[in-house]
Amino acid sequence: MTGKSLRVLDEGQGEYLSVDPDQFREWTGRKERALVAKLMSPAEAVSRFVADGDYVVWETNYLNRGPATLIREVIRQRKQRLWVGGKFTWVIVAMLVEAGCCDRADLGFFVGGPAVTRAVIEKKLKVYEYSNLIMTARLRAGAMGISFIPVRSLGGTDNFKYSGAKLLEDPYTGKPTVVVPALNPDVALIHVHQADQYGNARIFGTTITDVESALASRKVIVSAEEIINTEEFRHKPGLTKIPYYVVDAVVHQPFGAYPGECPGLYSSDSNHVVEILGAINGDRVKQYLDKWIYGMASDEQMLIERVGTPKLRELQRRATTVAAEGYRA
Amino acid sequence: MIGKGPWSEAPKAASFAEREFQVCIAARLVEDRKTYWVAGGGGPMYAVLLAKRLYTPDVIYVAEDGVIGAEPMLPFDPVMTLAAARPSYRALMWSTMNGIGDHCAAGYLDYGVLNTLQIDPYGNLNSTWLGTYGVEGRRFNGPGGADTIAAMCRRVVLMLDHQRRKFVPRVDFISSPGYLDGSPGARERVGLPAKTGPWAVVTNWALFDFDEGSRHLRLRAIAPFVTLDQVLAEMSFKPLMPPDGKVQTLEPPTEQELTIFRTEMDVSGQFTDTAAHWIVKEGERWSVVAKEQSKKISPL
């Protein structure tokens, strides 16, 4: 306890995205501070702000308010060698792996199926093991501008061995404590209920880890169901969850979370979700990608021609007749 | 653990599915005026909801996405049992994932309820990989939020199917921590909060707890429709026996439990459907009936 050096009792062997808060500050120092319009199409946003080799995070996609349109655009543009934060990510890691977009993943919860098992065994996909909350803590540390954070879970598991965690003698209590490296992703993809043209954003319902992801990431693409006037933010500033200066691109995308739910606005298209789950478990992800992504020039076309307006109206009706309370300004 | 309760006097059901039985047993373990962190959908959430409805009205549960104290709009849409409007309805707070993690680390979350794929004698769980990690076998979903729940809730209830391949001497991969090697202080030595760990295991056939000294899995009670030999034969290691040597018999579901479960929760049979058998009472005997063929396969 009185020694001058910190004792490392154990450490994981997993590679982790290098951490340097000062380098991150260099980056944020170059970002635009003025209120400038950032509206653009999904194709332009992904083309400009997602590069091959980037580390990308997102949340609960195809489940709840996920950036589904943006992820489909990443796949459509055939981005490569992405390293992804696959926590609470549901079906997307399997889609990115089968699309050839991703070769590294830090994992919490996801549905992988035979494609991911195969990619891991054939060493086409490197995986590092965390959990949803540990990835969340790493993003929080990244958002705080610090390099690591102590956590009260992960110790004793095999995830620890395949992660970037360390077990230290806590310099304050003298007890063992696990610390994990901060995460400053290259890109955060976030879908929200409302944004203005500058990137101020409102989320109704739980924010899961979207706010931390936005603050921790170098480049932030926000897609929004609705673009509203900045005056509205000034009337109710307490509702703003993401401040404009962390945001690089704003995409106006109604049904941007489809086939997931956007609470208060539309329900999940359960049949579609079951289709992708079936495709993953039945090793038919490529056919799914052809049908819903490669075969469509844009999500605009997919929503109108493949899903259809009657279906979209039905999803809206189902969301607004039940459980819509709390999702309005 | 489970003693007499309101269910003891209530009329019992004459037929039910094994998974329905499992949910009812888990529901009877729920303690009122406590906080629960339930994992995803399925058994854990149904057990707490059923208990809240019938036995423990003041139990509060939280979900990983940040929902605290919801009064969910039932039934849920297929697969949408977490992070969606219906399960989040009429909550006391919509927080964040870090928020729930903080509340748990600070000690506000009393119980966790989890599903798992594979378990060992010390309650360590595998939901990551069956086989040799990264080399051969099959990748599964990973710990999700279970690692956190297993690490930091004060007491953890585990739910899984009663099968030989699921109760193994050593899990292929520790996704979520139990008592690790079972030695005193094993959890504290790797930074986990003191006085936490697995507390009960509920299967479709049996109820277990953990011996306080050795932290080894211990059988407490079995379903009325199986024998002790059957229960032990479907485990790849031998559990400890109850301190008094008496394995109790669990009471079957009540009609009321099943009515609520079937009409408000598992309305499509999605949850129970995956278990292939119905348990049917014929006279004084329980029979196991294969659902698909609707014929008797093993009279007891």
Side-chain angles (χ1 to χ4, degrees):
Chain A
M1 276 302 284
T2 52
K4 293 253 160 82
S5 59
L6 202 55
R7 278 217 302 152
V8 177
L9 307 172
D10 195 5
E11 58 187 344
Q13 300 304 313
E15 182 190 2
Y16 53 91
L17 188 67
S18 68
V19 185
D20 186 343
D22 286 325
Q23 214 176 54
F24 185 65
R25 285 176 57 91
E26 289 287 317
W27 178 280
T28 59
R30 292 193 295 271
K31 287 181 74 153
E32 180 63 59
R33 303 295 201 264
L35 290 160
V36 296
K38 296 161 188 164
L39 276 171
M40 61 189 81
S41 70
E44 184 185 354
V46 168
S47 159
R48 282 177 58 186
F49 295 107
V50 183
D52 290 345
D54 273 356
Y55 191 113
V56 185
V57 288
W58 67 89
E59 199 87 54
T60 53
N61 214 340
Y62 278 38
L63 188 61
N64 177 320
R65 200 178 42 71
T69 293
L70 297 176
I71 285 282
R72 281 188 288 263
E73 192 55 37
V74 166
I75 292 172
R76 203 174 278 120
Q77 292 188 20
R78 298 181 189 273
K79 300 291 181 186
Q80 292 181 353
R81 303 186 313 281
L82 300 178
W83 186 348
V84 300
K87 82 165 169 78
F88 220 154
T89 172
W90 200 217
V91 296
I92 306 301
V93 170
M95 285 165 57
L96 290 170
V97 166
E98 278 295 82
C101 298
C102 147
D103 63 9
R104 282 182 285 189
D106 290 343
L107 295 170
F109 173 83
F110 76 114
V111 180
V116 168
T117 299
R118 197 165 51 231
V120 170
I121 290 174
E122 291 172 3
K123 304 197 188 312
K124 289 176 181 158
L125 176 69
K126 284 191 201 167
V127 292
Y128 311 103
E129 308 288 348
Y130 294 91
S131 72
N132 291 351
L133 194 86
I134 294 296
M135 290 297 289
T136 300
R138 293 184 62 197
L139 287 165
R140 171 192 268 177
M144 290 167 75
I146 58 178
S147 58
F148 69 89
I149 193 164
V151 290
R152 296 306 304 275
S153 57
L154 196 69
T157 65
D158 286 322
N159 309 313
F160 179 94
K161 296 179 193 164
Y162 299 100
S163 76
K166 293 178 196 293
L167 183 70
L168 305 182
E169 186 183 78
D170 181 336
Y172 294 98
T173 65
K175 295 177 183 177
T177 189
V178 172
V179 299
V180 291
L183 181 57
N184 289 115
D186 294 300
V187 189
L189 306 176
I190 298 169
H191 189 65
V192 303
H193 287 82
Q194 296 175 326
D196 70 5
Q197 59 176 332
Y198 310 123
N200 293 302
R202 287 173 173 175
I203 292 168
F204 301 108
T206 61
T207 53
I208 313 178
T209 318
D210 284 326
V211 176
E212 294 90 328
S213 297
L215 287 161
S217 298
R218 288 177 161 75
K219 298 175 282 186
V220 177
I221 306 178
V222 165
S223 61
E225 290 291 328
E226 192 186 357
I227 301 298
I228 61 173
N229 199 293
T230 305
E231 274 305 297
E232 293 194 45
F233 282 89
R234 293 195 186 280
H235 284 304
K236 292 181 177 176
L239 294 181
T240 311
K241 295 288 165 62
I242 296 173
Y244 77 96
Y245 50 68
V246 308
V247 176
D248 295 273
V250 179
V251 171
H252 182 210
Q253 186 64 53
F255 289 99
Y258 175 89
E261 170 180 297
C262 194
L265 295 176
Y266 48 91
S267 291
S268 158
D269 184 349
S270 303
N271 291 340
H272 187 134
V273 174
V274 170
E275 181 179 335
I276 178 62
L277 284 170
I280 290 173
N281 290 320
D283 208 5
R284 299 184 306 274
V285 177
K286 286 200 160 75
Q287 290 90 315
Y288 173 89
L289 297 176
D290 283 338
K291 176 178 170 188
W292 290 99
I293 302 177
Y294 295 133
M296 299 280 126
S298 66
D299 259 31
E300 212 69 55
Q301 190 193 1
M302 186 268 284
L303 288 167
I304 293 167
E305 293 178 18
R306 188 131 284 174
V307 183
T309 315
K311 179 69 170 181
L312 295 177
R313 288 226 179 91
E314 180 208 320
L315 298 178
Q316 281 178 321
R317 200 169 49 244
R318 286 182 55 221
T320 47
T321 48
V322 296
E325 242 173 56
Y327 301 107
R328 294 268 186 284
Chain B
M1 298 196 83
I2 271 192
K4 295 279 177 198
W7 52 85
S8 304
E9 303 309 317
K12 299 296 190 299
S15 77
F16 48 86
E18 287 188 348
R19 284 254 178 99
E20 291 174 331
F21 171 78
Q22 183 188 19
V23 165
C24 293
I25 296 306
R28 294 170 192 171
L29 288 174
V30 171
E31 190 181 350
D32 206 5
R33 304 173 78 98
K34 294 287 180 187
T35 49
Y36 277 72
W37 184 345
V38 296
M45 188 176 278
Y46 287 142
V48 173
L49 289 174
L50 187 61
K52 188 173 175 63
R53 189 77 169 64
L54 281 176
Y55 307 128
T56 56
D58 293 324
V59 70
I60 290 279
Y61 77 91
V62 307
E64 187 179 350
D65 59 332
V67 174
I68 300 174
E71 292 179 352
M73 183 171 283
L74 297 169
F76 300 134
D77 287 345
V79 305
M80 302 292 285
T81 57
L82 177 70
R86 280 171 171 265
S88 311
Y89 189 54
R90 287 181 51 79
L92 297 170
M93 184 178 184
W94 285 334
S95 172
T96 66
M97 192 183 274
N98 269 318
I100 297 299
D102 291 349
H103 303 174
C104 197
Y108 283 104
L109 303 183
D110 301 312
Y111 284 86
V113 193
L114 295 175
N115 266 327
T116 189
L117 204 62
Q118 207 183 38
I119 188 172
D120 74 11
Y122 298 105
N124 300 304
L125 309 181
N126 176 17
S127 53
T128 300
W129 192 286
L130 288 182
T132 307
Y133 178 76
V135 178
E136 57 80 29
R138 188 174 160 197
R139 171 83 205 196
F140 287 84
N141 300 351
D147 165 48
T148 309
I149 297 173
M152 307 196 302
C153 288
R154 293 175 189 274
R155 284 176 163 180
V156 180
V157 177
L158 308 167
M159 298 177 75
L160 78 161
D161 293 336
H162 202 99
Q163 294 170 5
R164 205 177 159 76
R165 62 196 177 104
K166 299 200 170 186
F167 284 87
V168 294
R170 210 183 149 87
V171 290
D172 295 340
F173 188 100
I174 300 180
S175 313
S176 302
Y179 293 108
L180 303 173
D181 64 3
S183 63
R187 286 169 65 91
E188 290 84 349
R189 280 196 299 277
V190 291
L192 306 185
K195 297 178 185 165
T196 55
W199 176 70
V201 175
V202 184
T203 75
N204 44 325
W205 281 10
L207 172 66
F208 302 84
D209 67 358
F210 292 84
D211 174 57
E212 277 181 30
S214 65
R215 295 166 186 80
H216 193 286
L217 190 75
R218 178 169 66 184
L219 183 63
R220 296 307 296 265
I222 63 172
F225 51 85
V226 287
T227 64
L228 179 59
D229 286 347
Q230 279 178 298
V231 166
L232 298 178
E234 279 295 335
M235 299 175 70
S236 302
F237 63 87
K238 205 168 164 15
L240 299 176
M241 287 294 133
D244 59 2
K246 289 181 192 145
V247 176
Q248 306 287 321
T249 302
L250 295 161
E251 299 181 59
T254 68
E255 286 178 7
Q256 192 185 27
E257 286 169 341
L258 284 187
T259 301
I260 289 170
F261 182 68
R262 290 172 182 173
T263 59
E264 298 178 24
M265 296 169 196
D266 189 32
V267 291
S268 62
Q270 191 189 19
F271 174 71
T272 45
D273 218 33
T274 46
H277 305 123
W278 285 104
I279 310 301
V280 179
K281 193 160 196 179
E282 296 177 334
E284 286 308 299
R285 293 174 3 138
W286 292 100
S287 294
V288 182
V289 176
K291 227 189 246 181
E292 281 169 17
Q293 303 96 5
S294 280
K295 67 173 188 195
K296 204 185 293 182
I297 55 168
S298 66
L300 302 176

